[in-house]
Amino acid sequence: MKRQITAALCSAVLGFMVSSSVAFAQKKAARVKEPAEAQAAQGRKVYTTIRDLMDSIVDPSADVVWGAVGTVVDQDGARETFPKTQEEWLNVRRAAIRIIEGANLLMMPGREAAPPGAKSEAPGVELEPPEITVLVRKNRASFDAFARSLQAVGAEAVRASDAQDTAALLDIGGRMQDVCESCHHVFWYPGAQQPGAVRNQQPAKK
């Protein structure tokens, strides 16, 4: 009887020690893993500028979405254009995916507005790149909100291309242009009048 009690006690103690060791190892592994994951997230490097991303990824992809559906007028009259083959629809979808992921890249902190030494593409209207960089960093939340809006319409474009919905794609293209232009008015040429303000401006009284 005493041997059975002793064996039971030893078994219980051994089980406790094993479970404690496993729990300790799991906690230790978690402590090691968390800093590694944090370092991996913080270790992502920025290699290009906002202008580079726009010129190489976002603008060309937006042009595909904008040009997918529309009206062409030539010597033969007016005709509607839209993707007609599976490959053409797939091309629109690929462009929309690039827009979504391009917006992700735009939201990575530490990115300059343009390469070193680059000048404004519209002097006197558009800010110089260093000024744009300062403005973006000062209003990071607003800039990221525009990028997320771009992602949202990009995701809509993916769904529209999957459904081959030309009406939706036409509407999406217009709203995508509004998002881009609104961002430019805030960060690239904040002193310029909004088009709506020009249209609504009352003539001066004589």
Side-chain angles (χ1 to χ4, degrees):
M1 184 67 178
K2 290 183 178 180
R3 289 181 180 178
Q4 291 177 344
I5 294 174
T6 302
L9 288 174
C10 289
S11 177
V13 171
L14 182 60
F16 176 80
M17 291 175 64
V18 170
S19 61
S20 297
S21 298
V22 171
F24 177 79
Q26 290 174 339
K27 290 180 179 179
K28 184 177 180 181
R31 286 197 298 269
V32 171
K33 186 178 180 181
E34 288 172 0
E37 290 176 345
Q39 289 173 6
Q42 295 172 1
R44 291 179 297 176
K45 294 182 180 180
V46 170
Y47 295 96
T48 59
T49 67
I50 294 174
R51 181 182 291 184
D52 291 325
L53 286 177
M54 297 302 296
D55 288 344
S56 303
I57 300 175
V58 179
D59 282 351
S61 303
D63 286 341
V64 172
V65 175
W66 286 326
V69 180
T71 303
V72 174
V73 180
D74 55 23
Q75 66 272 16
D76 298 324
R79 67 180 188 277
E80 300 299 319
T81 62
F82 55 90
K84 298 178 178 64
T85 66
Q86 190 63 35
E87 184 61 28
E88 288 175 346
W89 280 110
L90 185 57
N91 188 46
V92 176
R93 191 182 198 279
R94 289 167 177 157
I97 293 294
R98 292 193 297 269
I99 289 169
I100 293 170
E101 295 302 340
N104 263 340
L105 295 175
L106 288 172
M107 285 189 281
M108 288 181 65
R111 200 179 295 280
E112 300 289 329
K119 300 296 182 182
S120 169
E121 296 180 339
V125 177
E126 180 184 282
L127 298 177
E128 291 297 328
E131 296 175 300
I132 297 171
T133 298
V134 170
L135 199 56
V136 169
R137 290 178 179 174
K138 183 179 178 181
N139 301 278
R140 189 75 228 186
S142 177
F143 183 81
D144 287 353
F146 281 120
R148 284 191 291 272
S149 295
L150 183 61
Q151 281 185 317
V153 291
E156 289 186 55
V158 170
R159 293 192 291 271
S161 61
D162 288 342
Q164 298 189 4
D165 189 338
T166 56
L169 201 57
L170 182 63
D171 175 68
I172 290 164
R175 287 189 286 114
M176 183 177 295
Q177 187 169 5
D178 289 342
V179 171
C180 295
E181 191 63 19
S182 296
C183 181
H184 296 163
H185 270 289
V186 172
F187 293 100
W188 270 255
Y189 32 89
Q193 274 191 317
Q194 293 276 3
V198 175
R199 289 194 297 268
N200 297 328
Q201 187 176 15
Q202 296 295 322
K205 294 182 179 180
K206 295 183 179 180

